Amino acid sequence: MKESLARSHGSQCGFCTPGFIMSMYALLRSSELPPTEEQIEECLAGNLCRCTGYRPIIDAFQVFAKTDDAFYTNTSSSDLQSGEFLCPSTGKPCSCKSKGLNGAETCKKSTANEHNYEPVSYSEVDGSTYTDKELIFPPELLLRKLTPLYLNGFGGLKWFRPLKIQHLLELKAKFPDAKLVVGNTEVGIEMRLKRIQYKVLISVAHVPELNVLHVKDDGLEIGAAVRLSELLQMFRKVINERAAHETSSCKAFIEQIKWFAGTQIKNVACVGGNICTASPISDLNPLWMAAGAKFQIIDCKGNIRTIMAENFFLGYRKVDLTSGEILLSIFLPWTRPFEYVKEFKQAHRRDDDIAIVNAGMRVFLEEKGEDLVVSDSLIVYGGVAPLSLSAVKTKEFIIGKNWDQELLQGALKFLEIDIFLKEDAPGGMVEFRKSFNT
Ligand SMILES: NC(=O)C1=CN([C@@H]2O[C@H](COP(=O)(O)OP(=O)(O)OC[C@H]3O[C@@H](n4cnc5c(N)ncnc54)[C@H](O)[C@@H]3O)[C@@H](O)[C@H]2O)C=CC1
Ligand SMILES: O=c1[nH]c(=O)c2nc[nH]c2[nH]1
């Protein structure tokens, strides 16, 4: 990997290089099959480079991708004699496949070779020529039995790691202002950069009730501590297994999680942390609201109440949770036939960037004679107010109307009323942001 990156001029100042290598290494080590080009791009999305640009870096790693060699030549794979190998660098049948990585005998016909560039073929780098494969992850760490933790830090800081919900609720009763933490992607920033001092921290990452991921008849139950990578995996699974009309929300979430953050962040950031932070530009909260999700909340005594996501967000980073309560789980209903959910995000850059404006939208249509009539809907915008904002008047306007161009033109007018940005609105770029709303 390092060699390929260097030969492709994918490293300049070198600062980002170890990160790129480790992301690629993690992908190769954890993939049973050669990764696709898309997976390679996805795994690098959390790494930033400010010197070379991404093209040479992507090029360097694409040699590890599973591709059909015939794409690069005029010869189709079916023209090849059985057992013949098509060299990815020359596009001609050759035997370079069987040679070693250090390359004395690798195919030398490439024109690129004149510039001392010898691309390595997948068979040489997928590890099949090595017998002693490295372990993906030390199994003893995976198998290690977790124990509850109680640690004391500087300045009287207390850190707890309960493993049972009952223990968590007892801690919450004893320390109502304790800060829960899972991925630490928000709390860490608050403590380090904003210098906020929390006296008591409770890691809820390993509480089983907060990690459930259940496929039910009417939807998906998602524990508040479920990491976004796990959720993404589950969404991908259910869209393959369930009727297409049921998973419109899941598809919208998949698309939005793609641009949420890099893999490293998605591996640790949890669903509940994103909801409870209630950031006005949260990428997922408009979707939970639009998709009709319900939140289950548990108090210190174990009482559970349910609230629609739509009613959970009260103001700037303010949610409907008392100090003794925590978010337990989220219920995402399957969509019905003629019910559609869509996501939207505009940022300065596609990968790894905070939204300027984002949205989640749902419409449920009913057949009335020849027409399709809007029976229910919810349109929610982020980045336009102190909280994820539901376009209430637009919803009222479109319900009961035929799904056509006239409805669209009328709805756009109501959106301008619902999503009103003052000239001095926090976040700036008012005209730019207005242009996305409609
Ligand atoms: N595109 C986006 O929208 C992105 C959002 N994020 C982050 O996603 C984060 C979520 O991930 P983590 O790192 O796990 O958050 P975290 O561990 O830093 O916790 C975030 C907040 O959620 C609270 N919290 C966590 N679980 C809770 C629960 N079950 N009940 C009540 N409150 C709870 C914590 O006390 C804390 O205030 C958000 O806080 C946000 O900053 C990160 C990257 C991109
Ligand atoms: O709502 C959020 N959106 C983001 O893009 C983000 N990045 C860090 N923390 C974040 N919170």
Side-chain angles (χ1 to χ4, degrees):
M1 283 188 287
K2 288 188 273 187
E3 192 175 346
S4 189
L5 195 68
R7 286 186 187 186
S8 300
H9 306 289
S11 180
Q12 193 173 315
C13 82
F15 190 84
C16 69
T17 306
F20 275 100
I21 293 285
M22 289 314 295
S23 291
M24 188 62 211
Y25 178 79
L27 177 70
L28 282 186
R29 275 282 159 230
S30 51
S31 309
E32 282 175 19
L33 296 170
T36 62
E37 293 187 6
E38 198 190 0
Q39 283 172 320
I40 292 178
E41 286 195 19
E42 196 180 312
C43 95
L44 301 178
N47 296 83
L48 299 179
C49 167
R50 291 277 173 252
C51 310
T52 68
Y54 296 94
R55 174 50 54 203
I57 299 173
I58 299 274
D59 284 348
F61 292 142
Q62 289 303 4
V63 297
F64 301 92
K66 178 176 175 51
T67 50
D68 183 347
D69 294 333
F71 288 152
Y72 300 99
T73 71
N74 295 327
T75 324
S76 89
S77 350
S78 56
D79 296 338
L80 294 172
Q81 305 288 325
S82 106
E84 257 185 348
F85 174 74
L86 196 58
C87 177
S89 60
T90 64
K92 306 229 167 71
C94 81
S95 59
C96 68
K97 186 181 179 183
S98 58
K99 304 295 188 285
L101 182 64
N102 47 17
E105 292 176 83
T106 45
C107 176
K108 293 234 167 36
K109 281 193 188 160
S110 160
T111 46
N113 193 34
E114 288 155 24
H115 306 288
N116 205 20
Y117 173 55
E118 295 172 14
V120 275
S121 70
Y122 180 77
S123 60
E124 290 166 323
V125 292
D126 73 345
S128 59
T129 48
Y130 300 102
T131 45
D132 297 331
K133 276 208 177 191
E134 286 171 65
L135 293 169
I136 291 169
F137 192 83
E140 61 271 26
L141 290 183
L142 284 177
L143 296 173
R144 202 162 80 154
K145 204 163 170 286
L146 286 174
T147 48
L149 284 182
Y150 168 41
L151 306 170
N152 283 303
F154 291 115
L157 181 107
K158 295 182 189 337
W159 171 281
F160 294 94
R161 183 178 71 183
L163 300 181
K164 295 204 166 107
I165 185 94
Q166 193 49 43
H167 187 193
L168 165 60
L169 298 180
E170 283 163 18
L171 286 169
K172 207 49 185 138
K174 192 166 172 198
F175 307 103
D177 294 328
K179 196 72 179 158
L180 302 194
V181 60
V182 179
N184 201 36
T185 68
E186 184 71 24
V187 176
I189 290 171
E190 288 173 349
M191 293 185 74
R192 282 199 55 154
L193 302 180
K194 298 187 186 164
R195 302 272 169 219
I196 297 178
Q197 306 273 323
Y198 294 116
K199 288 274 173 227
V200 183
L201 289 159
I202 307 177
S203 165
V204 297
H206 300 283
V207 175
E209 288 79 354
L210 269 64
N211 280 287
V212 296
L213 207 37
H214 289 152
V215 178
K216 297 188 155 177
D217 288 345
D218 48 351
L220 201 55
E221 188 190 353
I222 306 153
V226 166
R227 311 315 185 274
L228 288 166
S229 297
E230 291 174 77
L231 183 66
L232 190 58
Q233 245 178 350
M234 177 53 100
F235 282 145
R236 285 182 174 148
K237 181 169 174 282
V238 293
I239 64 165
N240 282 328
E241 290 174 355
R242 298 196 74 89
H245 70 260
E246 289 186 317
T247 54
S248 183
S249 298
C250 303
K251 287 167 199 143
F253 272 100
I254 290 178
E255 206 44 42
Q256 201 71 324
I257 294 174
K258 199 187 277 178
W259 309 116
F260 181 96
T263 306
Q264 297 91 335
I265 296 294
K266 287 187 285 207
N267 283 346
V268 294
C270 74
V271 181
N274 188 233
I275 292 170
C276 294
T277 299
S279 157
I281 39 86
S282 157
D283 283 331
L284 301 185
N285 291 343
L287 268 178
W288 294 122
M289 291 166 72
K294 290 176 195 162
F295 297 159
Q296 285 216 308
I297 291 159
I298 188 165
D299 70 12
C300 301
K301 297 196 177 100
N303 302 314
I304 295 177
R305 68 180 171 99
T306 303
I307 180 170
M308 294 296 294
E310 191 186 344
N311 303 322
F312 185 69
F313 302 98
L314 304 178
Y316 180 68
R317 293 179 182 255
K318 198 161 178 292
V319 295
D320 184 4
L321 275 184
T322 62
S323 62
E325 289 180 321
I326 65 165
L327 180 64
L328 179 66
S329 64
I330 298 102
F331 179 75
L332 178 70
W334 305 128
T335 40
R336 298 163 279 184
F338 289 110
E339 186 167 31
Y340 302 96
V341 176
K342 274 304 279 180
E343 79 300 332
F344 171 79
K345 173 171 181 175
Q346 179 66 48
H348 287 291
R349 182 180 61 207
R350 280 227 93 167
D351 282 318
D352 249 347
D353 204 357
I354 283 179
I356 298 169
V357 171
N358 53 21
M361 307 179 189
R362 176 176 58 90
V363 67
F364 179 41
L365 305 172
E366 259 178 349
E367 282 177 299
K368 285 225 170 116
E370 298 271 284
D371 296 324
L372 284 172
V373 173
V374 178
S375 161
D376 192 15
S377 171
L378 203 59
I379 301 170
V380 184
Y381 278 88
V384 295
L387 73 173
S388 306
L389 190 70
S390 175
V392 181
K393 292 198 168 62
T394 314
K395 168 183 169 166
E396 279 169 17
F397 169 76
I398 67 173
I399 286 184
K401 300 239 170 19
N402 280 3
W403 182 250
D404 56 18
Q405 273 298 324
E406 205 180 317
L407 172 137
L408 176 64
Q409 294 313 320
L412 292 180
K413 293 210 175 70
F414 277 93
L415 267 180
E416 282 177 21
I417 302 169
D418 275 325
I419 314 292
F420 180 72
L421 278 166
K422 286 195 202 146
E423 287 314 307
D424 60 348
M429 298 182 287
V430 170
E431 282 308 311
F432 189 47
R433 283 196 280 165
K434 275 187 189 165
S435 71
F436 295 126
N437 301 333
T438 51

